[in-house]
Amino acid sequence: MTYCVGLLLTKGMVLLSDTRTNAGLDNISTYRKMFLFEDPGERVIAIMTAGSLSVTQTAIARLRAAMKDPEATPDTSILQAQSMLKVAEIAGNTLAAVRRDIDEKLAVMRQSASATMIVAGQVRRGDMRMFLIYPEGNFIEATEDTPFLQIGEHKYGKPILDRVVRPETDLMDAQKAVLLSMDSTLRSNLSVGMPLDLCVIERDACRVGLRRRIEAGDADFRAMSEAWSNALREGFQRITN
Amino acid sequence: MTYCVGLLLTKGMVLLSDTRTNAGLDNISTYRKMFLFEDPGERVIAIMTAGSLSVTQTAIARLRAAMKDPEATPDTSILQAQSMLKVAEIAGNTLAAVRRDIDEKLAVMRQSASATMIVAGQVRRGDMRMFLIYPEGNFIEATEDTPFLQIGEHKYGKPILDRVVRPETDLMDAQKAVLLSMDSTLRSNLSVGMPLDLCVIERDACRVGLRRRIEAGDADFRAMSEAWSNALREGFQRITN
């Protein structure tokens, strides 16, 4: 399982992913699920992945191969695409093609594999945008009404986002919100695990503003998690029924 | 969908269920999912149900028919069973039999139906116990380590329970905890809906201590929900990152 969350705010975007990958409960590994591509000042693209590792790794590998292809065009490379909408289309088509290929291989075993992505970023002179890409390659987009997108194990961490995230939330509070959302998920689903990858991209910067790996045992993360537990318990005690 | 939660505490038990039943998003109805059976001072049994309405209604109907059967025995009627373990076995066998019958009917359409139950209560001179019954009739039991059980849409409402419910939690706080757990679920899943059924059973009373239907628009419930939202937002603001 996986939990990835992205917030699209007035001041920029904040993305957070876990790194746990498992094939059964007895085969657990750490794999990066957040991939950053930038041409600083010109474009910045973040991709987060959830689902079958064979699908997500192959999809990211094909996106990279297309960037390096000497015959790459704005229709094939996300580093040349002229808008974030085009980036989402390229990523969606790549994901859908990989999924079809792998599904064909798995059909003999009556199995199937699937994956989803969050694709977000900004191309200079374009809007900052964030998309959730479905396994079939179609996508939806974060808006002012719903300024966040989640993939993977999204339920445990949603109540906090619903309550505190607004488009005008500042980027410090936004980091706190995604970390607490992840904290609730980590507590409830063993297949979501540390370390975490955090990324902040300011609007119109077209570059990664902050990139941080939060390791298991990170003192700041633990302090925030404990403060939140205490705040919940105190809040609970103060309510009268 | 459904959300039902039961807490088994040192001082007694608290149960809460929603009442929304839907066949698709365009066919929504209200059905009771909490059923109370008592022989005051002798035994009290609460059953909550989740899953296919045709399975849960038929299972409850068969349990009732078995109670009224003039040839009922402690092996067939939950009102005569000599322990809560036996009550759980009767309920489990009934649920599994109904599920098999309905599955046979649905097989022609390549469909299937399923349901789960929480069965809780106390028989005089026995322990207060709470079971979660699976569709196949087997069950697990709440313990000191995990003093609550949930069926249906359990994820949104679990973080609050994990943080505040302990075996020694008093029955007032326990009611607050299940109501806030339900509140988080109601906000996130449209197929869980008001009104709610709340029940409190004190240990060794062998009778229902409190039974309350909370209607949509209930002023107390709304006030508690708003106070919790405010407590979460204030707690969030106080945390430094």
Side-chain angles (χ1 to χ4, degrees), chain A residues 137-155:
Chain A
N138 55 331
F139 45 79
I140 59 169
E141 185 172 1
T143 64
E144 285 225 333
D145 288 329
T146 307
F148 62 87
L149 293 172
Q150 304 169 288
I151 53 177
E153 174 58 278
H154 63 282
K155 291 188 179 182

Side-chain angles (χ1 to χ4, degrees), chain B:
Chain B
M1 203 77 188
T2 285
Y3 179 45
C4 300
V5 53
L7 313 187
L8 178 64
L9 308 168
T10 313
K11 293 183 179 142
M13 51 174 63
V14 173
L15 304 132
L16 181 69
S17 69
D18 84 314
T19 54
R20 183 157 294 173
T21 297
N22 66 303
L25 274 172
D26 53 352
N27 187 357
I28 290 176
S29 319
T30 299
Y31 283 95
R32 173 173 289 276
K33 299 172 189 174
M34 181 189 287
F35 305 89
L36 302 173
F37 306 94
E38 60 178 338
D39 176 0
E42 288 296 324
R43 78 174 59 213
V44 58
I45 299 165
I47 299 182
M48 296 190 289
T49 59
S52 173
L53 186 65
S54 69
V55 175
T56 60
Q57 280 193 336
T58 305
I60 294 291
R62 284 200 199 167
L63 288 172
R64 283 193 204 278
M67 289 175 219
K68 289 176 188 159
D69 186 336
E71 290 169 28
T73 72
D75 285 328
T76 62
S77 162
I78 61 172
L79 282 186
Q80 293 186 37
Q82 286 172 358
S83 68
M84 278 308 297
L85 184 67
K86 189 71 206 174
V87 170
E89 283 175 14
I90 295 172
N93 291 339
T94 304
L95 179 63
V98 171
R99 196 190 62 82
R100 277 196 303 272
D101 290 353
I102 293 184
D103 259 3
E104 267 177 35
K105 292 187 174 71
L106 295 182
V108 295
M109 300 292 286
R110 296 175 195 278
Q111 293 183 350
S112 72
S114 188
T116 52
M117 284 181 172
I118 290 175
V119 173
Q122 191 170 18
V123 175
R124 191 157 71 97
R125 286 188 290 272
D127 282 339
M128 179 166 250
R129 298 173 78 169
M130 182 178 292
F131 301 89
L132 190 165
I133 314 234
Y134 292 111
E136 296 76 17
N138 56 331
F139 45 79
I140 60 170
E141 185 172 1
T143 64
E144 284 224 336
D145 289 328
T146 307
F148 62 87
L149 292 171
Q150 304 169 287
I151 52 176
E153 174 59 278
H154 62 283
K155 292 190 177 182
Y156 297 113
K158 186 162 180 286
I160 171 82
L161 300 178
D162 280 334
R163 284 190 166 96
V164 305
V165 176
R166 301 287 172 270
E168 61 274 19
T169 302
D170 71 40
L171 296 179
M172 286 306 284
D173 274 358
Q175 291 176 60
K176 197 162 67 170
V178 295
L179 288 167
L180 294 176
S181 174
M182 179 65 78
D183 182 54
S184 293
T185 311
L186 291 170
R187 276 171 184 258
S188 295
N189 190 329
L190 271 185
S191 69
V192 176
M194 307 281 283
L196 311 176
D197 287 313
L198 175 70
C199 167
V200 180
I201 301 171
E202 287 180 44
R203 188 174 291 269
D204 297 330
C206 289
R207 74 183 73 226
V208 174
L210 170 83
R211 175 190 316 216
R212 184 178 151 211
R213 172 152 281 202
I214 299 165
E215 299 288 348
D218 180 273
D220 291 344
F221 183 66
R222 192 156 52 191
M224 181 184 297
S225 167
E226 279 168 18
W228 181 236
S229 278
N230 291 336
L232 288 181
R233 280 195 217 98
E234 283 164 23
F236 181 80
Q237 289 308 332
R238 278 202 310 276
I239 293 173
T240 51
N241 57 341

